[in-house]
Amino acid sequence: MSFPRKGILGYSLFIGVYTIVLLLLTSCLSAANNRSERTVALSAASYTYEGQALVQTEKEAPSDIQAHEADKPPPPEPEPVVANEPGADSDAAVNAGDPLLLPLAVDTKSATPTVTSETYVPLVPPAGKPSSKVSIPVLNYHSVAIDPGNIVVIPPDKLEAQMAYLHDHGYTPLTLEAFIRLLEGDRSEKSPEKPVLLTFDDGYLDNYEEAMPILAKYGFPATLFVSPGMTEQDGYLNWEQIKKMQAGGWDIQPHGMSHPHLPKLSADEQAYEIVEARKQIEERLGTKADIFCYPYGEYNKTTLKLLQHHGFRYAFTIDQGFATNEQSPYLLKRIFVNGEENLNAFAAKLPKLK
């Protein structure tokens, strides 16, 4: 009886121990399995992130670089330095750092004007310039002769009639200096009620033979824009005639040495045409010649910068309209006188008394 009880007790003890060990083993295996799954999941997530990063690095980075480069403005192209005009003193080294001497981009593609009053930034106005607008008609003449059908040639009788009209209707033709004083707001002298500036381009012989006597009849001054390289040629003035016109109240100013198409020239060539014309006029006439007139009305940025660099005060275009103190000093407008028009058409271009 005692033996069977001991056997049952031992067997029960063995079963209990075995169950406990089995439970512990199961628990350990389960924990290990969970750790393994978490490790695999983390590795996969890490690989996926790194994979995305690699994909972005390989595909997007070049695109970003291209976009960045495209956003950059193109580097400025180097531009030629304007050489000193022939016979000038050696001030190039002194002015080597002057930005005005460096950015002279030459436009040789077209002979038409490449700068207008809408695109060119006006220069700093002269000191003392008034806030009110000054507007003066500048009449643009050329040859005075009989040449039917040629609108730039006005017959002497028509010029006579126009000068008589100006005289009879109270207009006051100005000297060039008087014109500049008015434009700059100088009130040291009384301003005429109806000022006008008379200009003649190119230096034709008939300006001396026909125009000068007509203007002298009314006591009118005028401004002559001459190309020194064309003097002494057939149909053009010589220096003796130019001197007599100057003595008769005509201002003589440069129109280029050879009346060239300036935008077709290099910076050096333009500099010569502009500065040499002034030099010859000043040397022969003993006068200041710093008011320029564009041959054919053509210019480009190089022309404007050269005028500023060489100290020209003003320049006249063939753009139509009155000259005003609101225009760039190098883009003053004029009124073309058509030699085929009648007196009424001429009068309609002028301001009327208020």
Side-chain angles (χ1 to χ4, degrees):
M1 189 73 183
S2 63
F3 176 77
R5 284 201 300 269
K6 288 181 181 180
I8 292 172
L9 182 59
Y11 181 78
S12 298
L13 183 60
F14 173 79
I15 293 300
V17 172
Y18 177 81
T19 301
I20 291 172
V21 171
L22 183 60
L23 290 173
L24 290 174
L25 182 58
T26 302
S27 177
C28 290
L29 290 175
S30 177
N33 191 35
N34 288 337
R35 272 199 311 271
S36 177
E37 290 176 355
R38 283 199 303 271
T39 301
V40 171
L42 287 173
S43 298
S46 178
Y47 176 79
T48 301
Y49 172 79
E50 292 175 357
Q52 291 174 345
L54 287 173
V55 170
Q56 291 173 347
T57 303
E58 292 173 356
K59 294 183 180 180
E60 296 179 13
S63 174
D64 292 341
I65 292 174
Q66 291 171 1
H68 177 67
E69 293 296 331
D71 290 340
K72 290 183 179 179
E77 296 181 0
E79 296 177 289
V81 178
V82 177
N84 286 345
E85 66 275 15
D89 53 17
S90 56
D91 60 352
V94 176
N95 295 323
D98 187 346
L100 187 59
L101 305 182
L102 300 178
L104 294 177
V106 182
D107 178 10
T108 59
K109 296 180 180 179
S110 173
T112 57
T114 56
V115 183
T116 67
S117 55
E118 287 74 32
T119 60
Y120 178 67
V121 178
L123 304 176
V124 178
K129 179 178 175 180
S131 57
S132 59
K133 183 176 180 178
V134 177
S135 182
I136 303 173
V138 179
L139 300 181
N140 176 205
Y141 293 94
H142 291 79
S143 178
V144 183
I146 298 175
D147 187 7
N150 191 339
I151 64 172
V152 301
V153 178
I154 183 170
D157 61 337
K158 282 193 174 182
L159 180 65
E160 167 82 39
Q162 291 178 3
M163 296 303 105
Y165 179 90
L166 294 177
H167 178 270
D168 296 344
H169 289 80
Y171 291 91
T172 303
L174 303 169
T175 64
L176 195 55
E177 283 303 316
F179 167 82
I180 292 172
R181 284 199 303 271
L182 287 180
L183 203 64
E184 295 181 352
D186 185 345
R187 299 293 185 253
S188 59
E189 298 181 10
K190 183 179 179 181
S191 301
E193 187 175 10
K194 297 168 70 176
V196 62
L197 181 67
L198 308 177
T199 65
F200 290 77
D201 291 4
D202 303 338
Y204 294 106
L205 176 60
D206 55 44
N207 290 176
Y208 174 80
E209 295 176 339
E210 301 288 351
M212 188 172 72
I214 293 173
L215 269 63
K217 177 180 177 179
Y218 298 96
F220 288 170
T223 298
L224 174 68
F225 291 108
V226 63
S227 298
M230 301 181 71
T231 58
E232 313 294 339
Q233 296 182 19
D234 290 343
Y236 291 90
L237 297 164
N238 60 40
W239 282 110
E240 288 304 313
Q241 293 162 338
I242 293 173
K243 288 179 181 178
K244 291 179 180 179
M245 295 179 76
Q246 181 190 29
W250 289 57
D251 293 298
I252 314 300
Q253 296 295 323
H255 198 36
M257 268 301 294
S258 62
H259 202 275
H261 294 280
L262 288 172
K264 293 184 177 181
L265 304 182
S266 68
D268 288 344
E269 291 169 334
Q270 285 202 50
Y272 174 78
E273 285 284 343
I274 293 169
V275 178
E276 184 65 17
R278 178 180 68 182
K279 179 183 175 184
Q280 290 198 19
I281 292 171
E282 291 180 345
E283 289 178 349
R284 287 182 175 271
L285 303 180
T287 187
K288 196 77 172 174
D290 57 359
I291 311 298
F292 194 73
C293 178
Y294 303 107
Y296 305 103
E298 298 169 355
Y299 52 84
N300 59 13
K301 291 180 180 179
T302 300
T303 319
L304 299 174
K305 290 178 181 179
L306 284 169
L307 290 174
Q308 185 180 21
H309 168 57
H310 289 289
F312 282 80
R313 289 188 291 169
Y314 291 91
F316 287 94
T317 68
I318 57 172
D319 296 337
Q320 297 302 292
F322 293 176
T324 78
N325 58 346
E326 296 178 353
Q327 295 162 6
S328 162
Y330 298 146
L331 296 173
L332 296 181
K333 296 181 179 181
R334 294 189 291 174
I335 299 171
F336 172 69
V337 179
N338 186 333
E340 295 289 298
E341 291 180 342
N342 60 29
L343 187 60
N344 288 335
F346 170 79
K349 298 177 180 181
L350 299 170
K352 304 298 184 291
L353 281 172
K354 295 180 180 179

